[in-house]
Amino acid sequence: MTEKVENSNDIKFVLKDSWSIRPCSVYKDEYDDCTSIKARFHQYFIHGESIDCTQWHNDFRNCVQYEESKGNDLTAGQAVINSEEERRLIRFKGHYGNTVWKKRKHPPEDWSKPLPDWLEKRYENSYLSLKMETESKIPKLEDEKQYCLIM
């Protein structure tokens, strides 16, 4: 949950998953977007009712409290981390609950085998093959310098 970090005479506790805390402006923007007229119309169209946006507001307040305390308010920081974790679990619910597809641990052994002849013949005059041919004919200069020009 927390790790103890010692710098000279200061002892500071760092939250384990503090990397998951976004900039506070993101939570404010998400709350503003969630409560906008356009979003409310979309929510009503998709869900049949307005969605509760208070979690975005709570995350914003906790984030600001955590940032203003320079990371010393561990309860506010942990509240934001817990909210992010819950949001992530909801987002990946379909992925974790998948019982149709078998998840691979590694790619198939023959993933890089050549295409069958009929498929090679089908794509021999495609845009991609023509593009590759023309690029291979252009000589490459080894010491060619590239410049970025903004006009």
Side-chain angles (χ1 to χ4, degrees):
M1 187 156 153
T2 58
E3 296 175 10
K4 188 176 180 180
V5 178
E6 295 183 30
N7 291 348
S8 61
N9 296 332
D10 298 335
I11 297 175
K12 184 177 181 180
F13 290 95
V14 179
L15 293 171
K16 180 183 172 202
D17 292 331
S18 61
W19 60 267
S20 66
I21 299 176
R22 306 181 210 182
C24 297
S25 61
V26 172
Y27 298 111
K28 177 74 170 133
D29 291 343
E30 288 286 351
Y31 176 72
D32 290 343
D33 183 51
C34 185
T35 56
S36 71
I37 299 290
K38 181 179 176 183
R40 292 297 185 186
F41 181 74
H42 180 74
Q43 293 163 9
Y44 185 74
F45 182 76
I46 298 297
H47 304 288
E49 61 185 6
S50 294
I51 294 176
D52 183 23
C53 302
T54 56
Q55 190 57 46
W56 288 116
H57 187 64
N58 293 340
D59 289 344
F60 172 68
R61 285 186 305 157
N62 285 329
C63 180
V64 168
Q65 192 172 350
Y66 179 71
E67 291 292 321
E68 285 178 351
S69 70
K70 295 184 175 46
N72 290 329
D73 190 351
L74 300 179
T75 55
Q78 191 61 44
V80 177
I81 291 170
N82 292 342
S83 177
E84 287 290 340
E85 179 72 20
E86 183 180 336
R87 199 172 288 121
R88 195 175 313 112
L89 287 174
I90 290 169
R91 182 172 182 269
F92 286 118
K93 184 179 180 181
H95 172 71
Y96 293 133
N98 178 20
T99 58
V100 175
W101 301 102
K102 181 181 175 188
K103 292 178 177 58
R104 293 189 211 164
K105 303 288 185 210
H106 49 81
E109 292 180 19
D110 62 346
W111 70 271
S112 62
K113 71 179 182 181
L115 294 173
D117 292 336
W118 65 270
L119 195 55
E120 284 281 347
K121 191 174 267 185
R122 182 177 173 186
Y123 290 113
E124 69 185 11
N125 291 324
S126 70
Y127 175 76
L128 183 60
S129 66
L130 294 173
K131 178 89 169 141
M132 288 175 62
E133 284 179 24
T134 56
E135 283 185 2
S136 65
K137 292 178 184 175
I138 298 172
K140 303 259 183 195
L141 300 175
E142 302 234 354
D143 60 342
E144 183 180 326
K145 295 181 181 176
Q146 296 181 359
Y147 298 98
C148 178
L149 179 64
I150 300 173
M151 300 176 102

